Amino acid sequence: MITSIVTEPGYTVVENAPLAARNTFRVPARAELLIDVHDANALPDLFKLGAVKTGSVLILGEGSNVLLTRDWPGVVLCMAARGIRVLQDRADCALVRVEAGENWNDFVHWSLGRGFAGLENLVLIPGTVGAAPIQNIGAYGVEVREFIETVEAFDRHSGARVRLGNAECAFAYRDSVFKRAPDRYFVTAVEVLLPRQRELRLDYAGVREELAKMNIDSDAPSHAAVADAVMRLRTRKLPNPMLIGNAGSFFKNPLMPAAQADDLLREYPQLSTWPALDGQRKLSAAWLIESCDFKGLREGDAGVSSQHALVLVNYGTATGAQIWALAQRIIDAVQRRFGVMLEPEPQVI
């Protein structure tokens, strides 16, 4: 049970806090301290507190990219500050500041509703704006790094708020400096450059086909129409975390040198691959997993979605440890059969 709740200017502290409602897998876990930060100006004083300054700190948004396999013996920090503000409004684009606690999907709709382009492929991705640069979220051929100008964060090393430009964020496929140094940075806001016109990305994972089903000409659809198509695709392919516990795609699509990928394709011509940076190719993790007969598998209340092989689900009372044990079985099976090592997308605690 919760032992106490303390409200201070700018933040709220809960001792022995339950986290089942704070993660989309809905797995049970508790935190020694849960701190919701409502004002980033409170962070310098907050990080001077003993438990926060010296203890283990886990940064949590909406819990849509984390698997908790145990209780957290320290502080869980959640950035709850919200707000969207146009900093510069130019003829061809606008620089927009978004507080870290804003819901990402709400912000995508905000941008489309005001005539901005570019984020339509990233619609319906769960989580907060503050989590977006950490994971460098991406979908349907677009990544958030293409729009980020600056990330504002609190740096535990210096004890001050810092601003990191796009290059300093060291973005990579589902990766960033924030993900590689999770104990250092606490993202407080993101500044994005939103264009008013941008070439559409339609050649990924059935977007054109979905537009055709909607009786929309794929040669000149609106950005809003592309967002509708992506929402239809995601809704059909991915289980809703509001109805069944999951964190979306659990595994990254593995990257491999092109020559090695060609060898695999000669043996398994049905394997889906896509060009990637630096002469690499991206392999379909879903195909690899489904080929190992895991799609639709259920072990107790832990399972693999029958809708999409990349999605692990909690049918009700599975623990994080049970879901992680299933994930490790999948990793081992794919490695044995194909010689390919899968990596989890969410942070596994």
Side-chain angles (χ1 to χ4, degrees):
M1 60 184 296
I2 297 174
T3 54
S4 68
I5 301 176
V6 178
T7 300
E8 299 287 348
Y11 61 92
T12 303
V13 182
V14 180
E15 290 187 74
N16 190 31
L19 299 176
R22 297 281 187 141
N23 73 92
T24 58
F25 265 119
R26 303 288 184 262
V27 294
R30 303 189 81 85
E32 186 177 332
L33 290 176
L34 171 66
I35 304 178
D36 284 307
V37 180
H38 305 282
D39 184 353
N41 292 318
L43 288 170
D45 290 336
L46 178 60
F47 274 89
K48 291 176 184 175
L49 299 178
V52 183
K53 184 177 181 180
T54 61
S56 299
V57 176
L58 172 65
I59 308 300
L60 197 62
E62 293 182 355
S64 59
N65 196 48
V66 65
L67 175 62
L68 299 166
T69 67
R70 57 179 173 82
D71 292 339
W72 183 255
V75 178
V76 171
L77 274 181
C78 300
M79 191 65 198
R82 304 189 67 167
I84 303 173
R85 183 160 50 100
V86 177
L87 300 179
Q88 299 176 20
D89 198 351
R90 310 168 192 168
D92 60 340
C93 63
L95 183 65
V96 181
R97 176 187 171 93
V98 192
E99 301 302 320
E102 282 287 341
N103 176 270
W104 171 259
N105 188 52
D106 289 348
F107 172 57
V108 172
H109 285 286
W110 179 95
S111 72
L112 293 170
R114 284 156 180 78
F116 295 113
L119 301 186
E120 56 275 353
N121 294 47
L122 303 180
V123 72
L124 221 58
I125 294 178
T128 62
V129 169
I134 297 173
Q135 181 73 358
N136 182 26
I137 60 171
Y140 296 95
V142 176
E143 291 182 332
V144 72
R145 66 172 167 182
E146 299 171 47
F147 306 93
I148 290 177
E149 286 285 293
T150 306
V151 175
E152 182 183 276
F154 185 85
D155 183 355
R156 291 183 72 192
H157 289 188
S158 66
R161 284 160 78 175
V162 295
R163 291 171 57 81
L164 282 73
N166 187 290
E168 295 171 288
C169 295
F171 291 121
Y173 174 57
R174 302 297 179 269
D175 198 15
S176 69
V177 67
F178 311 106
K179 189 171 183 178
R180 292 192 289 273
D183 295 331
R184 179 173 181 178
Y185 294 108
F186 183 38
V187 175
T188 56
V190 182
E191 294 176 9
V192 295
L193 192 65
L194 297 178
R196 300 190 190 280
Q197 296 292 331
R198 190 174 193 264
E199 184 177 355
L200 292 165
R201 305 272 180 88
L202 304 178
D203 296 323
Y204 195 93
V207 177
R208 287 187 186 275
E209 292 78 4
E210 195 65 31
L211 287 166
K213 292 178 184 178
M214 298 162 60
N215 295 318
I216 294 174
D217 184 0
S218 63
D219 289 333
S222 68
H223 293 275
V226 174
D228 287 341
V230 170
M231 284 191 289
R232 286 163 58 112
L233 284 166
R234 291 184 68 93
T235 301
R236 189 165 63 248
K237 290 184 175 183
L238 301 175
N240 187 341
M242 298 297 291
L243 302 177
I244 184 169
N246 73 88
S249 297
F250 193 87
F251 298 102
K252 299 179 186 179
N253 287 318
L255 295 172
M256 177 177 288
Q260 190 176 347
D262 289 341
D263 290 340
L264 263 181
L265 280 169
R266 278 189 284 273
E267 189 170 357
Y268 304 102
Q270 301 88 356
L271 172 62
S272 297
T273 70
W274 305 275
L277 298 175
D278 302 323
Q280 294 187 303
R281 293 193 68 81
K282 188 184 295 185
L283 311 184
S284 169
W287 186 91
L288 297 170
I289 294 166
E290 192 166 349
S291 295
C292 292
D293 297 324
F294 281 103
K295 186 177 181 181
L297 177 73
R298 179 170 178 172
E299 296 180 343
D301 274 350
V304 181
S305 172
S306 59
Q307 292 176 252
H308 202 302
L310 276 185
V311 182
L312 303 190
V313 295
N314 177 7
Y315 285 103
T317 61
T319 65
Q322 289 169 332
I323 293 170
W324 180 231
L326 175 57
Q328 290 176 304
R329 275 192 58 203
I330 293 170
I331 291 170
D332 291 344
V334 170
Q335 170 69 26
R336 285 196 305 271
R337 180 169 178 184
F338 299 104
V340 177
M341 179 62 70
L342 295 181
E343 295 181 23
E345 262 198 42
Q347 182 180 9
V348 180
I349 305 300

